[in-house]
Structure formats: C-alpha cells, structure tokens
Amino acid sequence: MQKEGLGVSKGIPSLVVAAASFDDVVAITGYSLFIGLAVPKGNLGWSIAHGPLNLVFGLAGGILGGLAMSCTRIWRVRWQRSYGIFVLGQFLMHFFVHFHFAGAGAMASLVMGVVAMLCWEAGWPRFASLGPSTHYAH
C-alpha cells in the first residue's frame, strides 16, 4: 500500500502501525494488571497498584526514550537511528524487568517508537532536530 503511494499523504500507513501498537499496549496493560491480581506477591495493595504502575512507568519511559531518539542532530544517519532505537528499546526492557515491571518495559519500547516517529514528522524538539521529515520513520 505504501509503496504504491496509497493513503501516504493522509498518513494512513502510519495510522495502521500506530493502531497495531495500541492493540499491543492494551494487551500488555491488561495482562500485567490481571496477572498481578491472580498471582499476588506481597500485600494486596501492592498487587493492585502494580498494574497501573506498569502503565505509568511504561508511558513515561517510552516518552523519554522517544524524545531522546527524536534528536536528529545526534542521530543523523538512518543506521544510527535504527541502532539507537534497538539499543534503547533493549535497555528499557531490561531496566524495567530488573525492577520487576516487565509490562512497563514492553510498553516503553512500543511507545518509544511511536513518540520518535511523531517527533521526527513534526521536527521536534526544535533545538535538537534537523527539521520535520517523514522519511525518518520509514
């Protein structure tokens, strides 16, 4: 679809990828919440709070990672951006697993990619960007 140029001007291929990622985020959040309730570790209050904390930490880590990857003055070449996304995604995953928030790690990796793509398209943050480009996300 994208190679033929269908819907590219309206951002439909990016929307399809974002929708697929959102489906993963919902699945990870639901799984983290209910596995914490089904197999409690510690007191009940911590088990109940663990699911929402996975969501909050995952979103925060993904947004920070996406902002770091959106600095195209640092990541000028395509392979640098690809390598950076891969390494930072792995780092976020292992960081959150180390602190027993596996759902947050997976969510942070997904959110980071979406945030980086949106920032690349908008040319944001202005001080660290070479300007808006839709080619970085391909």
Side-chain angles (χ1 to χ4, degrees):
M1 209 169 100
Q2 188 172 359
K3 287 182 181 179
E4 295 177 14
L6 299 174
V8 173
S9 63
K10 295 185 179 184
I12 293 176
S14 298
L15 184 64
V16 169
V17 171
S21 294
F22 181 73
D23 180 42
D24 293 340
V25 168
V26 170
I28 291 167
T29 304
Y31 176 80
S32 296
L33 180 63
F34 289 109
I35 198 70
L37 293 174
V39 185
K41 294 180 181 178
N43 64 18
L44 182 61
W46 176 248
S47 295
I48 292 171
H50 196 263
L53 285 175
N54 264 315
L55 175 65
V56 170
F57 292 156
L59 288 173
I63 290 169
L64 291 174
L67 289 174
M69 290 309 306
S70 68
C71 299
T72 53
R73 289 190 192 272
I74 299 169
W75 316 100
R76 294 176 185 259
V77 186
R78 183 179 190 152
W79 72 266
Q80 291 175 331
R81 289 187 298 274
S82 297
Y83 183 74
I85 288 278
F86 176 76
V87 169
L88 191 54
Q90 290 294 313
F91 171 77
L92 287 169
M93 188 67 197
H94 290 289
F95 176 81
F96 284 117
V97 166
H98 177 74
F99 292 104
H100 307 288
F101 286 98
M107 186 174 309
S109 297
L110 288 169
V111 170
M112 177 185 61
V114 173
V115 169
M117 180 206 56
L118 292 172
C119 288
W120 289 334
E121 288 179 353
W124 199 83
R126 301 270 186 242
F127 70 91
S129 176
L130 296 175
S133 177
T134 56
H135 298 290
Y136 293 152
H138 297 279

